[in-house]
Amino acid sequence: MKRVQRDLRPSDRIVQDLGIDSLATLEILLALEERFGVALVDNPRTAGTATVGDLVALLDELRVDRAS
């Protein structure tokens, strides 16, 4: 995984721009699940997240759904 020497941007592509491989992606998703109390790993909507902004939007949606 390459190091990003700047703040993340919503338009950053998780794999192409940030160089995050599948194992690191899984670790990130598990950490986000634990932190925010939402299901990401087994959620089919997670497959559609290509950018940091996509992932943030999904987290927001899942947190709202959980709160309802």
Side-chain angles (χ1 to χ4, degrees), residues 25-46 55 58-59 62-63 66:
T25 299
L26 180 59
E27 291 172 346
I28 291 167
L29 293 176
L30 290 170
L32 290 170
E33 284 186 342
E34 185 175 322
R35 170 67 176 91
F36 294 105
V38 297
L40 291 169
V41 173
D42 294 328
N43 189 324
R45 291 167 40 193
T46 304
L55 185 55
L58 178 58
L59 279 170
L62 294 174
R63 290 177 69 204
R66 186 172 160 249

Side-chain angles (χ1 to χ4, degrees), residues 10-12 14 48-61:
S11 61
D12 285 337
I14 295 167
T49 57
T51 66
V52 171
D54 294 340
L55 185 55
V56 170
L58 178 58
L59 279 170
D60 286 343
E61 289 173 26

